[in-house]
Amino acid sequence: QTNLPIFKLKESTVRRRYSDFEWLRNELERESKVVVPPLPGKALLRQLPFRGDDGIFDDSFIEERKQALEQFINKVAGHPLAQNERCLHMFLQDEVIDKNYTPSKIRHT
């Protein structure tokens, strides 16, 4: 949900993978003057076999990762310069991310 006038939808639901967050971060670093916050670390050790827990499927890990990614996207979406980037709008509001898009700025309407 948002009350920011630059976003065309005031409410949207999309599913994103960690790699989608990596894509967004790379696009923002490449296309804007925004200092993009870091993403939570990759879960490489959780992917090792014979751990004695559910690894990346452990409920507490999933919840921690979800909260960390939510903090990341809230910081990015709250940044006035990032709000103008088409990649952020696609990430937040389009069902499918067109990774072959042409980077551009969003204008206030």
Side-chain angles (χ1 to χ4, degrees), residues 26-43:
N26 290 336
E27 287 298 299
L28 288 171
E29 282 188 328
R30 186 167 59 90
E31 293 300 327
S32 70
K33 304 285 188 264
V34 177
V35 175
V36 185
L39 284 168
K42 280 203 154 277

Side-chain angles (χ1 to χ4, degrees), residues 66-98:
K66 182 178 154 192
Q67 288 178 7
L69 291 172
E70 193 172 320
Q71 287 177 341
F72 167 82
I73 202 65
N74 285 338
K75 285 180 186 175
V76 169
H79 193 290
L81 293 177
Q83 291 170 8
N84 294 319
E85 296 297 332
R86 186 166 174 231
C87 59
L88 177 63
H89 288 252
M90 265 195 317
F91 182 89
L92 291 174
Q93 300 189 323
D94 290 0
E95 188 70 31
V96 176
I97 297 173
D98 175 11

Side-chain angles (χ1 to χ4, degrees), residues 6-69:
I6 194 164
F7 292 100
K8 67 182 177 200
L9 301 175
K10 297 305 162 204
E11 195 171 308
S12 63
T13 302
V14 293
R15 292 182 66 95
R16 297 291 183 245
R17 299 181 56 91
Y18 186 85
S19 59
D20 296 327
F21 283 85
E22 290 178 314
W23 172 85
L24 175 64
R25 188 172 191 285
N26 290 336
E27 287 298 299
L28 288 171
E29 282 188 328
R30 186 167 59 90
E31 293 300 327
S32 70
K33 304 285 188 264
V34 177
V35 175
V36 185
L39 284 168
K42 280 203 154 277
L44 298 176
L45 294 179
R46 285 197 164 269
Q47 296 176 29
L48 295 174
F50 315 113
R51 284 183 45 92
D53 66 8
D54 291 330
I56 60 172
F57 302 107
D58 183 72
D59 288 342
S60 63
F61 170 72
I62 291 170
E63 189 55 35
E64 286 173 29
R65 169 62 60 90
K66 182 178 154 192
Q67 288 178 7
L69 291 172

